[in-house]
Amino acid sequence: MVKKASTSRIDNKIWVFFTSVKLTVVVLLLLAATSIIGTFIPQNASPAFYFQKYGEVFYRLFDTFHIFDMYNSWWFLLLLGLLVVNLVVCSIDRLGTTWKIIFPKQVVFRIERFRKLKNRESFVSSKQGSELKEAYRGFLEKKFAAPVEQETEKGFALFAEKGRWTRLGVYIVHLSIILLLAGAVLGNVLGFKGFVKIPEGESVSRVETKSGGHIDLGFTLRCNAFDVSFYDTGQPDEYKSSVTILKDGTEVLTTDIIVNDPLRYQGISFYQSNYGTAAAGEVEVVITSRETGMAYNRTMSAGKTIDLPEAGGQFTLEGFVPGFDFRGHNLGEAFVGKITVKEDKTIQVVMPLKFPTFDKMRKGAFSFVVNDFTKKYYTGLQVTKDPGVWYVYTGFIFMIIGCWITFFMSHQSLFIEVEDLDNGSQVIVAGSAHRNSQSMKIKTAGIAERIKEI
Amino acid sequence: MNSSMLLSIATFVYALASVLYIGSWTFKKEMMAKVGWVVLVAGLVANTAGILLRWVESYQMGYGHAPFSNMYESLVFFSWTVAVLYLFVEYKYKDKIIGVFATPLIFLAIAYASLSPNIGDKITPLIPALKSNWLIAHVITCFLGYAGFAVAFGFSIMYLVRPENPDTASLRSRLPSLGLVDELTHQMVMFGFLFLTIGIITGAVWANSAWGTYWSWDPKETWSLITWFIYAILLHLRMMRGWHGKRIAWVSILGFMAVLFTYFGVNLLPGLHSYA
Ligand code: HEM
């Protein structure tokens, strides 16, 4: 721990500026304070939304400062950049000194320093020093670290230390931050984020990215089926897409994608994101004749044409409409079809699911109602490629390990001095640690307690 | 006997423990704090049993998930972690008075869970996004972090309340020495920082496995990062000369305000996190 920045080897003002912990505090403070803005102002919404919400003046003001995408704005990235430079310069500046402490040419042991320690315990033992020496030595070796011995005027002193290397913990923490940010940059530059909608039974081989471009996957992804199940409370239980990967027309892999369990293939990941109704599969239509009152059940799929009973012509099921517009009213999900009576005469048929009697009002020769149908879903998958994620994860691991070392371990020294008295010995136990002095105090007291019994 | 009843009992036992700790300080009776410790342990037992029983009940209802899935459950677990952490600290440092400002927090959290009309205590099924083993790791570590900061907050208040020259016979002078409180605050901040770090990390890994992105700047994520920044600032301030004691206590209080906002306030903002 070197407090003076003037020891920096490259003695110029910029370097010194970046070694300062004050700068760290200021930058972290700015990061914390500005981050708040983006939690109150929704990010990356449409200009129309902002315009309506904040009015013209504030819209322009916020827009100028990139508030609507602030975490990617130049000034926010600049703050992160400052943090990195600060960190790198500060670490280089201090590492030399720390290194010398961790790997000294020779461990020097200055009795004077330990005699002055506040954290000390003393007691009188009835045994003689020579008797205690071996016992204490053995104790330290077993419970703490191998001691160094030194003769004093009236007896002897033992000195043991451990955990010099734990002074590196802070550097591991700081290195982890650099790894994290490097991974994030790498992911942004070399990776992509995109989204695809695949109707059941259909395939895609390119993906639209968030930034508006297109990426060729290098293989084909087919959605075999999509399924959603519900709890009896009506809450969704699971969304599941069954997919197959094809390469040059041959199936390579078939698997399920569910939320929290994505598909990863050739560095690209597919995540279950949303779903919807793409179209209908098999549709059961009930056709009622006005003349005879007979009802006929017909099962057909979209695009198919059947002959109507009673020589009434032909009926074509054209398809499914998520929201059918009837004179400005939205009738909801509906099927549409047409009757072909003669070559040139067709009649439109609308079968809204919510209004089964709707087609009857047309008062045609036949009325049509959709009785039942199977839905064809599309699955919405988030598609990402992030080659930086392993740097980020390594950073995560380093950060946890580094914090653990820094917070719970320390470079500890223990000092035991024994002075011969007339009939026994005076024993002093003192301890110090480069951090967490309180727990070293407890430890020292505990050790004193235990060697009293020797 | 069901889990809600057990947890109500825990609430009252915790209330009694806080009263005993505060009483021991006010009336100078160490005996009361000793009883308080035992009562606190009893409260923890009820709290633990309540959580475990709730877990079992969720399996009986056919949902089968750990009880960390809504505000009620997270508050109950928050009390649990603060209680465990506090008992550990008292055991390690052998000082009873430090409980005066920490034990009420344990009671307040669980009482808020049980009594607030806005917090439902029904066991509900998990939405698909929450079905992950990361949920448990994420919630436990975040709450250990919050607990560390909560206890640090209690100590910081204690630091600010205690006069610097304890020669008067006032109540406030009977608190433990400033040096010890300062050290304890720091210990708790470090504990909280480590676990908040792990909590944010497990959240990020989980988000990456669920949505394909480890960081999306949603308000809850951002607020936990803001909290993390504040405590990182605290750790660095301690290394600058003059930043000890009172000033650090204030930063620790500010940090805890950020924790509270991350926990409660963010639910008022739009985002992915449906609860704590
Ligand atoms: C988000 C960013 C950062 C985090 C999470 C972080 C984390 C930490 C932690 C946990 C410690 C140990 C604190 C303690 O001893 O109680 C520490 C110490 C330190 N940090 Fe940082 N740090 C960050 C950025 C920086 C930067 C940019 C600098 C640049 C100057 C810096 C300089 C230091 C120094 C000099 C120490 C003390 C090392 C020692 O005790 O020898 N930190 N940091």
Side-chain angles (χ1 to χ4, degrees), chain A residues 406-447:
Chain A
T406 312
F407 294 155
F408 299 132
M409 299 169 95
S410 56
H411 176 194
Q412 304 174 343
S413 313
L414 204 66
F415 171 75
I416 303 180
E417 181 164 19
V418 177
E419 279 183 20
D420 286 328
L421 300 176
D422 291 341
N423 50 358
S425 320
Q426 168 75 41
V427 183
I428 292 170
V429 183
S432 75
H434 87 291
R435 48 182 303 127
N436 293 351
S437 53
Q438 196 67 28
S439 46
M440 192 61 199
K441 199 167 166 183
I442 292 171
K443 192 164 180 172
T444 311
I447 287 176

Short mmCIF file of all heavy atoms in Angstrom, two decimals, chain A residues 406-447:
data_model
loop_
_atom_site.label_atom_id
_atom_site.label_comp_id
_atom_site.label_asym_id
_atom_site.label_seq_id
_atom_site.Cartn_x
_atom_site.Cartn_y
_atom_site.Cartn_z
N THR A 406 -9.84 -10.41 -0.90
CA THR A 406 -9.66 -9.08 -0.34
C THR A 406 -10.40 -8.91 0.98
O THR A 406 -9.90 -8.29 1.91
CB THR A 406 -10.17 -8.03 -1.34
OG1 THR A 406 -9.65 -8.32 -2.61
CG2 THR A 406 -9.73 -6.65 -0.93
N PHE A 407 -11.62 -9.42 1.03
CA PHE A 407 -12.44 -9.13 2.20
C PHE A 407 -12.20 -10.08 3.36
O PHE A 407 -12.33 -9.71 4.52
CB PHE A 407 -13.93 -9.18 1.83
CG PHE A 407 -14.33 -8.10 0.87
CD1 PHE A 407 -15.42 -8.27 0.04
CD2 PHE A 407 -13.62 -6.91 0.80
CE1 PHE A 407 -15.80 -7.28 -0.85
CE2 PHE A 407 -13.99 -5.92 -0.08
CZ PHE A 407 -15.08 -6.10 -0.91
N PHE A 408 -11.92 -11.32 3.06
CA PHE A 408 -11.89 -12.29 4.16
C PHE A 408 -10.51 -12.85 4.45
O PHE A 408 -10.36 -13.65 5.35
CB PHE A 408 -12.86 -13.44 3.88
CG PHE A 408 -14.28 -12.97 3.75
CD1 PHE A 408 -15.08 -13.38 2.70
CD2 PHE A 408 -14.81 -12.08 4.68
CE1 PHE A 408 -16.38 -12.93 2.58
CE2 PHE A 408 -16.11 -11.62 4.58
CZ PHE A 408 -16.89 -12.05 3.52
N MET A 409 -9.53 -12.47 3.67
CA MET A 409 -8.19 -12.98 3.96
C MET A 409 -7.26 -11.79 4.12
O MET A 409 -7.55 -10.71 3.63
CB MET A 409 -7.72 -13.88 2.81
CG MET A 409 -8.62 -15.06 2.62
SD MET A 409 -8.27 -15.92 1.10
CE MET A 409 -7.19 -17.19 1.68
N SER A 410 -6.15 -12.02 4.78
CA SER A 410 -5.22 -10.91 4.91
C SER A 410 -3.81 -11.43 5.16
O SER A 410 -3.61 -12.60 5.45
CB SER A 410 -5.65 -9.99 6.05
OG SER A 410 -5.76 -10.74 7.24
N HIS A 411 -2.89 -10.53 5.00
CA HIS A 411 -1.49 -10.82 5.32
C HIS A 411 -1.34 -10.66 6.83
O HIS A 411 -1.41 -9.56 7.36
CB HIS A 411 -0.61 -9.82 4.55
CG HIS A 411 0.84 -9.95 4.87
ND1 HIS A 411 1.76 -9.00 4.53
CD2 HIS A 411 1.54 -10.93 5.50
CE1 HIS A 411 2.96 -9.37 4.95
NE2 HIS A 411 2.84 -10.55 5.53
N GLN A 412 -1.19 -11.79 7.53
CA GLN A 412 -1.20 -11.76 8.99
C GLN A 412 0.18 -12.10 9.55
O GLN A 412 0.85 -12.99 9.05
CB GLN A 412 -2.19 -12.79 9.53
CG GLN A 412 -3.59 -12.58 8.98
CD GLN A 412 -4.53 -13.68 9.39
OE1 GLN A 412 -4.10 -14.76 9.81
NE2 GLN A 412 -5.82 -13.41 9.28
N SER A 413 0.55 -11.35 10.59
CA SER A 413 1.81 -11.66 11.28
C SER A 413 1.51 -11.91 12.75
O SER A 413 0.66 -11.25 13.33
CB SER A 413 2.79 -10.50 11.18
OG SER A 413 2.84 -10.03 9.86
N LEU A 414 2.25 -12.85 13.28
CA LEU A 414 2.07 -13.17 14.69
C LEU A 414 3.44 -13.16 15.36
O LEU A 414 4.42 -13.59 14.78
CB LEU A 414 1.43 -14.56 14.81
CG LEU A 414 0.68 -14.80 16.11
CD1 LEU A 414 -0.55 -13.90 16.18
CD2 LEU A 414 0.24 -16.25 16.17
N PHE A 415 3.46 -12.62 16.58
CA PHE A 415 4.71 -12.41 17.27
C PHE A 415 4.56 -12.92 18.70
O PHE A 415 3.60 -12.57 19.38
CB PHE A 415 4.99 -10.91 17.23
CG PHE A 415 6.12 -10.46 18.08
CD1 PHE A 415 7.44 -10.70 17.70
CD2 PHE A 415 5.90 -9.77 19.26
CE1 PHE A 415 8.48 -10.26 18.48
CE2 PHE A 415 6.94 -9.33 20.03
CZ PHE A 415 8.24 -9.57 19.64
N ILE A 416 5.47 -13.78 19.11
CA ILE A 416 5.44 -14.25 20.50
C ILE A 416 6.79 -13.97 21.12
O ILE A 416 7.82 -14.36 20.58
CB ILE A 416 5.15 -15.77 20.58
CG1 ILE A 416 3.83 -16.10 19.88
CG2 ILE A 416 5.13 -16.23 22.04
CD1 ILE A 416 3.47 -17.58 19.92
N GLU A 417 6.79 -13.24 22.23
CA GLU A 417 8.05 -12.99 22.91
C GLU A 417 8.01 -13.57 24.31
O GLU A 417 7.02 -13.41 25.03
CB GLU A 417 8.33 -11.48 22.99
CG GLU A 417 9.65 -11.20 23.67
CD GLU A 417 10.16 -9.80 23.46
OE1 GLU A 417 9.36 -8.93 23.09
OE2 GLU A 417 11.37 -9.58 23.68
N VAL A 418 9.08 -14.24 24.67
CA VAL A 418 9.14 -14.86 25.99
C VAL A 418 10.34 -14.31 26.74
O VAL A 418 11.46 -14.31 26.23
CB VAL A 418 9.24 -16.40 25.87
CG1 VAL A 418 9.38 -17.03 27.26
CG2 VAL A 418 8.04 -16.96 25.15
N GLU A 419 10.10 -13.79 27.95
CA GLU A 419 11.19 -13.31 28.80
C GLU A 419 11.25 -14.19 30.04
O GLU A 419 10.22 -14.44 30.67
CB GLU A 419 10.90 -11.87 29.24
CG GLU A 419 11.26 -10.85 28.19
CD GLU A 419 11.03 -9.43 28.71
OE1 GLU A 419 10.99 -9.25 29.94
OE2 GLU A 419 10.88 -8.54 27.86
N ASP A 420 12.43 -14.59 30.38
CA ASP A 420 12.57 -15.42 31.58
C ASP A 420 12.36 -14.59 32.82
O ASP A 420 12.89 -13.49 32.96
CB ASP A 420 13.97 -16.06 31.61
CG ASP A 420 14.07 -17.17 30.58
OD1 ASP A 420 13.02 -17.82 30.32
OD2 ASP A 420 15.16 -17.37 30.01
N LEU A 421 11.55 -15.12 33.74
CA LEU A 421 11.40 -14.50 35.07
C LEU A 421 12.11 -15.42 36.05
O LEU A 421 12.65 -16.46 35.67
CB LEU A 421 9.91 -14.38 35.43
CG LEU A 421 9.04 -13.54 34.49
CD1 LEU A 421 7.60 -13.61 34.93
CD2 LEU A 421 9.53 -12.10 34.45
N ASP A 422 12.04 -15.08 37.34
CA ASP A 422 12.74 -15.90 38.33
C ASP A 422 12.19 -17.32 38.38
O ASP A 422 12.92 -18.29 38.32
CB ASP A 422 12.61 -15.26 39.72
CG ASP A 422 13.43 -13.98 39.74
OD1 ASP A 422 14.31 -13.85 38.85
OD2 ASP A 422 13.16 -13.12 40.58
N ASN A 423 10.86 -17.43 38.47
CA ASN A 423 10.30 -18.79 38.45
C ASN A 423 9.17 -18.88 37.42
O ASN A 423 8.01 -18.97 37.76
CB ASN A 423 9.81 -19.19 39.84
CG ASN A 423 8.93 -18.10 40.41
OD1 ASN A 423 8.73 -17.06 39.76
ND2 ASN A 423 8.38 -18.32 41.59
N GLY A 424 9.56 -18.80 36.19
CA GLY A 424 8.57 -18.88 35.11
C GLY A 424 8.96 -17.95 33.98
O GLY A 424 10.12 -17.58 33.82
N SER A 425 7.94 -17.56 33.16
CA SER A 425 8.23 -16.69 32.02
C SER A 425 7.09 -15.71 31.82
O SER A 425 5.93 -16.00 32.11
CB SER A 425 8.37 -17.49 30.72
OG SER A 425 9.06 -18.70 30.95
N GLN A 426 7.48 -14.55 31.26
CA GLN A 426 6.48 -13.57 30.85
C GLN A 426 6.29 -13.77 29.34
O GLN A 426 7.24 -13.74 28.58
CB GLN A 426 7.02 -12.17 31.15
CG GLN A 426 6.25 -11.04 30.54
CD GLN A 426 4.95 -10.78 31.28
OE1 GLN A 426 4.90 -10.83 32.51
NE2 GLN A 426 3.89 -10.54 30.52
N VAL A 427 5.05 -13.99 28.92
CA VAL A 427 4.80 -14.24 27.50
C VAL A 427 3.97 -13.10 26.91
O VAL A 427 2.99 -12.67 27.51
CB VAL A 427 4.05 -15.57 27.29
CG1 VAL A 427 3.86 -15.85 25.80
CG2 VAL A 427 4.78 -16.71 27.97
N ILE A 428 4.38 -12.62 25.76
CA ILE A 428 3.60 -11.61 25.05
C ILE A 428 3.23 -12.16 23.69
O ILE A 428 4.10 -12.68 22.96
CB ILE A 428 4.40 -10.30 24.88
CG1 ILE A 428 4.60 -9.64 26.24
CG2 ILE A 428 3.68 -9.36 23.93
CD1 ILE A 428 5.57 -8.50 26.17
N VAL A 429 1.95 -12.07 23.36
CA VAL A 429 1.50 -12.48 22.03
C VAL A 429 0.93 -11.24 21.34
O VAL A 429 0.07 -10.57 21.90
CB VAL A 429 0.39 -13.56 22.11
CG1 VAL A 429 -0.01 -14.00 20.71
CG2 VAL A 429 0.87 -14.74 22.93
N ALA A 430 1.45 -10.92 20.17
CA ALA A 430 0.93 -9.76 19.45
C ALA A 430 0.68 -10.17 18.01
O ALA A 430 1.34 -11.05 17.47
CB ALA A 430 1.92 -8.61 19.50
N GLY A 431 -0.32 -9.54 17.41
CA GLY A 431 -0.63 -9.90 16.03
C GLY A 431 -0.96 -8.66 15.22
O GLY A 431 -1.39 -7.64 15.75
N SER A 432 -0.72 -8.75 13.92
CA SER A 432 -1.14 -7.66 13.05
C SER A 432 -1.55 -8.24 11.71
O SER A 432 -1.16 -9.33 11.35
CB SER A 432 -0.01 -6.65 12.88
OG SER A 432 0.96 -7.18 12.01
N ALA A 433 -2.40 -7.48 11.02
CA ALA A 433 -2.84 -7.91 9.69
C ALA A 433 -2.93 -6.68 8.83
O ALA A 433 -3.16 -5.58 9.35
CB ALA A 433 -4.18 -8.61 9.78
N HIS A 434 -2.77 -6.83 7.51
CA HIS A 434 -2.78 -5.63 6.69
C HIS A 434 -4.20 -5.11 6.50
O HIS A 434 -4.41 -4.03 6.02
CB HIS A 434 -2.04 -5.85 5.37
CG HIS A 434 -2.86 -6.41 4.25
ND1 HIS A 434 -3.34 -7.69 4.25
CD2 HIS A 434 -3.28 -5.86 3.08
CE1 HIS A 434 -4.02 -7.91 3.12
NE2 HIS A 434 -4.00 -6.82 2.41
N ARG A 435 -5.21 -5.90 6.92
CA ARG A 435 -6.58 -5.41 6.97
C ARG A 435 -7.38 -6.25 7.96
O ARG A 435 -6.87 -7.23 8.47
CB ARG A 435 -7.22 -5.41 5.60
CG ARG A 435 -7.00 -6.73 4.85
CD ARG A 435 -7.59 -6.67 3.50
NE ARG A 435 -9.00 -6.36 3.62
CZ ARG A 435 -9.59 -5.36 2.99
NH1 ARG A 435 -8.92 -4.60 2.19
NH2 ARG A 435 -10.86 -5.14 3.17
N ASN A 436 -8.61 -5.85 8.22
CA ASN A 436 -9.47 -6.57 9.16
C ASN A 436 -8.80 -6.74 10.53
O ASN A 436 -8.69 -7.84 11.05
CB ASN A 436 -9.85 -7.95 8.64
CG ASN A 436 -10.73 -7.87 7.43
OD1 ASN A 436 -11.20 -6.77 7.08
ND2 ASN A 436 -10.96 -8.98 6.78
N SER A 437 -8.36 -5.61 11.10
CA SER A 437 -7.62 -5.69 12.36
C SER A 437 -8.49 -6.29 13.47
O SER A 437 -7.97 -6.95 14.35
CB SER A 437 -7.12 -4.31 12.75
OG SER A 437 -8.21 -3.41 12.75
N GLN A 438 -9.80 -6.05 13.39
CA GLN A 438 -10.67 -6.55 14.45
C GLN A 438 -10.65 -8.07 14.52
O GLN A 438 -10.56 -8.66 15.59
CB GLN A 438 -12.09 -6.04 14.22
CG GLN A 438 -13.01 -6.17 15.42
CD GLN A 438 -12.58 -5.27 16.56
OE1 GLN A 438 -11.96 -4.23 16.35
NE2 GLN A 438 -12.87 -5.70 17.79
N SER A 439 -10.70 -8.72 13.35
CA SER A 439 -10.73 -10.18 13.44
C SER A 439 -9.35 -10.72 13.79
O SER A 439 -9.23 -11.77 14.41
CB SER A 439 -11.30 -10.84 12.18
OG SER A 439 -10.77 -10.28 11.04
N MET A 440 -8.28 -9.97 13.46
CA MET A 440 -6.95 -10.40 13.89
C MET A 440 -6.84 -10.28 15.41
O MET A 440 -6.19 -11.11 16.05
CB MET A 440 -5.88 -9.53 13.21
CG MET A 440 -4.48 -10.07 13.37
SD MET A 440 -4.29 -11.72 12.64
CE MET A 440 -2.81 -12.29 13.46
N LYS A 441 -7.51 -9.28 15.95
CA LYS A 441 -7.49 -9.11 17.40
C LYS A 441 -8.12 -10.32 18.08
O LYS A 441 -7.57 -10.88 19.05
CB LYS A 441 -8.29 -7.85 17.76
CG LYS A 441 -8.00 -7.30 19.11
CD LYS A 441 -8.59 -5.91 19.22
CE LYS A 441 -8.61 -5.46 20.66
NZ LYS A 441 -9.25 -4.16 20.77
N ILE A 442 -9.25 -10.74 17.54
CA ILE A 442 -9.94 -11.90 18.10
C ILE A 442 -9.07 -13.14 17.94
O ILE A 442 -8.93 -13.95 18.85
CB ILE A 442 -11.30 -12.09 17.40
CG1 ILE A 442 -12.23 -10.94 17.77
CG2 ILE A 442 -11.92 -13.43 17.78
CD1 ILE A 442 -13.51 -10.90 17.01
N LYS A 443 -8.42 -13.24 16.80
CA LYS A 443 -7.58 -14.40 16.54
C LYS A 443 -6.38 -14.42 17.50
O LYS A 443 -6.04 -15.45 18.05
CB LYS A 443 -7.08 -14.33 15.09
CG LYS A 443 -6.43 -15.59 14.62
CD LYS A 443 -6.33 -15.59 13.10
CE LYS A 443 -5.67 -16.85 12.62
NZ LYS A 443 -5.73 -16.94 11.16
N THR A 444 -5.78 -13.23 17.69
CA THR A 444 -4.63 -13.15 18.59
C THR A 444 -5.03 -13.57 20.01
O THR A 444 -4.32 -14.35 20.67
CB THR A 444 -4.09 -11.71 18.62
OG1 THR A 444 -3.94 -11.26 17.29
CG2 THR A 444 -2.74 -11.64 19.32
N ALA A 445 -6.19 -13.06 20.45
CA ALA A 445 -6.66 -13.41 21.78
C ALA A 445 -6.89 -14.92 21.89
O ALA A 445 -6.53 -15.55 22.89
CB ALA A 445 -7.96 -12.66 22.09
N GLY A 446 -7.45 -15.49 20.81
CA GLY A 446 -7.70 -16.93 20.81
C GLY A 446 -6.41 -17.73 20.89
O GLY A 446 -6.33 -18.71 21.64
N ILE A 447 -5.40 -17.28 20.16
CA ILE A 447 -4.12 -17.99 20.18
C ILE A 447 -3.46 -17.87 21.56
O ILE A 447 -2.96 -18.85 22.12
CB ILE A 447 -3.21 -17.47 19.06
CG1 ILE A 447 -3.75 -18.00 17.72
CG2 ILE A 447 -1.75 -17.90 19.27
CD1 ILE A 447 -3.02 -17.50 16.50
#
